[in-house]
């Protein structure tokens, strides 16, 4: 099997499952306190920042810069928790290997 082909077809959920997070590893009180700091940093930076709740298998946050730099619908970015693999569906299949490396 060509490893590039499997990378192109890797879903976010498959990628996140490699983290092997259990309920014992999850501290949502800690995360809720840190989320505000990350969101503040995202407003000061021109970078595209996103966070993933690997335990629940979904995006938790994506910065507004995804809309400004890449033309994503701002409403979809602000509702990233409900949008599924919105970020991946706009990445060219040949660039997915890089995306996977950065996410892990």
């Amino acid at each position: 099997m060509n490893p590039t082909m499997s990378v192109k077809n890797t879903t976010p959920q498959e990628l996140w499952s490699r983290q092997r997070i259990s309920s014992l590893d999850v501290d949502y009180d800690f995360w809720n306190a840190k989320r505000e700091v990350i969101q503040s940093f995202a407003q000061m930076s021109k970078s595209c920042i996103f966070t993933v709740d690997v335990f629940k298998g979904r995006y938790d946050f994506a910065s507004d810069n995804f809309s400004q730099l890449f033309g994503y619908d701002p409403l979809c970015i602000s509702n990233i928790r409900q949008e599924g693999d919105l970020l991946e569906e706009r990445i060219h299949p040949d660039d997915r290997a890089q995306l996977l490396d950065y996410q892990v």
Side-chain angles (χ1 to χ4, degrees):
M1 178 196 271
N2 180 345
T4 305
M5 290 302 294
S6 63
V7 167
K8 289 180 182 180
N9 297 322
T10 301
T11 67
Q13 291 74 19
E14 290 170 332
L15 173 68
W16 302 334
S17 70
R18 295 177 191 171
Q19 302 298 315
R20 307 223 190 280
I21 303 289
S22 78
S23 61
L24 300 174
D25 299 318
V26 178
D27 183 348
Y28 282 107
D29 291 333
F30 175 79
W31 173 241
N32 289 332
K34 296 301 178 187
R35 180 184 292 118
E36 191 172 313
V37 173
I38 292 170
Q39 290 173 342
S40 295
F41 178 73
Q43 290 176 349
M44 294 184 287
S45 170
K46 293 187 180 197
S47 299
C48 290
I49 299 171
F50 67 91
T51 58
V52 174
D53 184 332
V54 176
F55 184 67
K56 291 183 180 177
R58 68 178 190 200
Y59 283 97
D60 184 72
F61 166 76
S63 64
D64 292 337
N65 290 328
F66 280 98
S67 299
Q68 296 164 359
L69 294 174
F70 298 112
Y72 286 85
D73 180 342
L75 184 59
C76 291
I77 291 299
S78 65
N79 293 315
I80 193 73
R81 290 182 187 186
Q82 292 81 36
E83 295 299 326
D85 60 355
L86 170 74
L87 299 179
E88 281 82 5
E89 70 187 28
R90 296 186 101 188
I91 302 293
H92 191 278
D94 293 341
D95 296 329
R96 295 213 22 110
Q98 253 186 321
L99 178 69
L100 297 176
D101 288 341
Y102 289 132
Q103 284 193 21
V104 173

